[in-house]
Amino acid sequence: MPTPGEFRMNRRDLMAAASACAALPMMNGGARAQPSPVGEPVKAGVSLNVNGEKRSLNLDTRTTLLDALREHLHLTGTKKGCDHGQCGACTVIVDGHRINSCLTLAVMHHDANVTTIEGLGTLDHLHPMQAAFVKHDGFQCGYCTPGQICSGVAMLEEIKSGIPSHVTADLNSPAQVTDAEIRERMSGNICRCGAYSNIVEAMLEVSGRRA
Ligand code: FES
Ligand code: FES
């Protein structure tokens, strides 16, 4: 049985062994690992009620709700920022709850009611939150704005229905719309332009807490 001393390699031996390992694939005729064959995508019929209109799609089951809206229904008001659930640009309202549409598959929302920024208001009849954003200058480049507005609309409903947040001081009383509540509840919506103070002003106005 070799002793530990007999396993000792000097630096030259080690380099030679490493070079031999690196050359192995070339000696093998340059063979590379072949990707395993990819089958046809699995498709499924999905029906969504988008902004009050029933839309039927036949989608690859891996399609996110965000891609279904943007790429298949051409509702490009909902923005793709990070595509990783970190920026909130893709926020839409599904059955009354705000969600990051990049993080969920469209097939999971069969027959759901989806509201996007296009369904909140029109140019002639802005939703109060849209009008307040204009009045308070709640955006600069506007990329985060559809997500901010959808999120803000659902957020005020959450407060109204009594759902507490991490900063709600008194859990025995209905939550109030305050700067702190808005900032906490909107923390998932990032604004790279930093329009936060004006966004808060807009939301306070819609809530009736500030003119
Ligand atoms: Fe969905 Fe950023 S694009 S959270
Ligand atoms: Fe530009 Fe928010 S207005 S990212």
Side-chain angles (χ1 to χ4, degrees):
M1 181 118 176
T3 66
E6 287 173 293
F7 281 120
R8 218 180 300 135
M9 292 174 102
N10 63 28
R11 187 167 173 276
R12 190 184 303 260
D13 295 337
L14 188 64
M15 296 289 283
S19 307
C21 288
L24 269 178
M26 285 181 266
M27 290 163 66
N28 200 17
R32 294 197 178 90
Q34 296 297 313
S36 50
V38 179
E40 285 296 303
V42 178
K43 294 206 165 190
V46 186
S47 178
L48 301 167
N49 299 311
V50 183
N51 300 329
E53 197 183 328
K54 183 169 175 172
R55 310 295 297 266
S56 297
L57 297 166
N58 190 33
L59 296 174
D60 181 329
T61 50
R62 297 166 295 183
T63 308
T64 62
L65 179 59
L66 175 60
D67 285 341
L69 293 170
R70 285 183 57 87
E71 309 299 332
H72 295 264
L73 298 178
H74 309 296
L75 293 168
T76 53
T78 305
K79 299 294 182 250
K80 182 181 281 190
C82 63
D83 210 18
H84 279 78
Q86 294 175 345
C87 72
C90 64
T91 307
V92 296
I93 304 170
V94 176
D95 291 335
H97 301 286
R98 53 186 171 153
I99 63 170
N100 289 335
S101 59
C102 71
L103 281 190
T104 189
L105 299 174
V107 290
M108 295 163 64
H109 301 287
H110 186 62
D111 279 345
N113 292 307
V114 181
T115 305
T116 69
I117 191 70
E118 291 92 343
L120 279 183
T122 64
L123 267 183
D124 295 333
H125 299 284
L126 293 179
H127 184 281
M129 189 67 85
Q130 291 171 314
F133 265 62
V134 173
K135 177 177 168 188
H136 292 277
D137 209 10
F139 54 90
Q140 289 177 37
C141 76
Y143 199 81
C144 73
T145 311
Q148 301 275 6
I149 289 176
C150 287
S151 192
V153 168
M155 179 272 299
L156 290 181
E157 288 303 314
E158 285 166 16
I159 297 182
K160 230 189 269 176
S161 63
I163 299 172
S165 81
H166 184 62
V167 298
T168 306
D170 182 1
L171 297 181
N172 294 314
S173 311
Q176 301 296 315
V177 182
T178 62
D179 278 41
E181 286 283 358
I182 291 175
R183 287 178 189 277
E184 165 64 17
R185 292 170 191 258
M186 292 298 296
S187 60
N189 289 83
I190 308 300
C191 176
R192 193 173 60 170
C193 299
Y196 295 114
S197 54
N198 295 358
I199 291 171
V200 172
E201 288 300 319
M203 292 180 178
L204 283 169
E205 176 177 325
V206 176
S207 73
R209 302 289 300 220
R210 201 167 290 172

